[in-house]
Structures are given as C-alpha cells and as structure tokens.
Amino acid sequence: MRFLASLRMTMWIFGTVSMGKEDSQTFNKELKNIKENSLDYENGLEKLDDLCSRFKSKYPNFIKHTSG
C-alpha cells in the first residue's frame, strides 16, 4: 500500500515538471507498468529507481523530487 501511495505522489509531482512529450509518454507508460506489475514494494522500488536513473541526466530536478 505504501508503494502505491509513493507512485501516486510521483505521478502528481510529474505533472508539475516540464518534460518533453515523448519522454513524458514513455515515463508515464513505464510508471504505470511498474504500478500494475510489481511483485512487492521492494520490486517496485527497484524498478522505479531504474526508471528514474534513465531520465536523471535529462531531468535532474524532476528526479531529485521523485527520489526524495
């Protein structure tokens, strides 16, 4: 349950950050996939960290806010 709350917060924060349309679609698609297909909290968190790492160089402020 805590993981889903974290994902909701991440999606809310995502809406406040300017990201390219293509990157935005990719990020949201993969975020939704993580939310729906993670086996447990640790698995979901690992996948979310991997996703954020991929976008960190392009959107460091966004990743800073989503990673804590």
Side-chain angles (χ1 to χ4, degrees):
M1 191 62 137
R2 191 172 123 200
F3 177 67
L4 292 178
S6 296
L7 281 178
R8 283 189 202 110
M9 178 59 80
T10 301
M11 286 191 238
W12 176 80
I13 292 169
F14 177 70
T16 66
V17 177
S18 179
M19 188 180 261
K21 184 177 181 179
E22 212 172 287
D23 287 339
S24 169
Q25 290 172 341
T26 300
F27 191 92
N28 279 321
K29 181 180 175 184
E30 293 188 32
L31 189 60
K32 181 178 178 183
N33 185 44
I34 291 169
K35 180 180 171 187
E36 295 175 350
N37 297 307
S38 294
L39 302 173
D40 55 27
Y41 178 80
E42 289 78 20
N43 178 256
L45 188 58
E46 182 180 326
K47 290 177 181 180
L48 181 60
D49 285 342
D50 291 343
L51 177 60
C52 288
S53 293
R54 289 182 27 218
F55 285 88
K56 189 173 186 170
S57 65
K58 260 181 131 172
Y59 305 102
N61 288 332
F62 168 67
I63 300 306
K64 177 182 174 185
H65 290 294
T66 60
S67 299

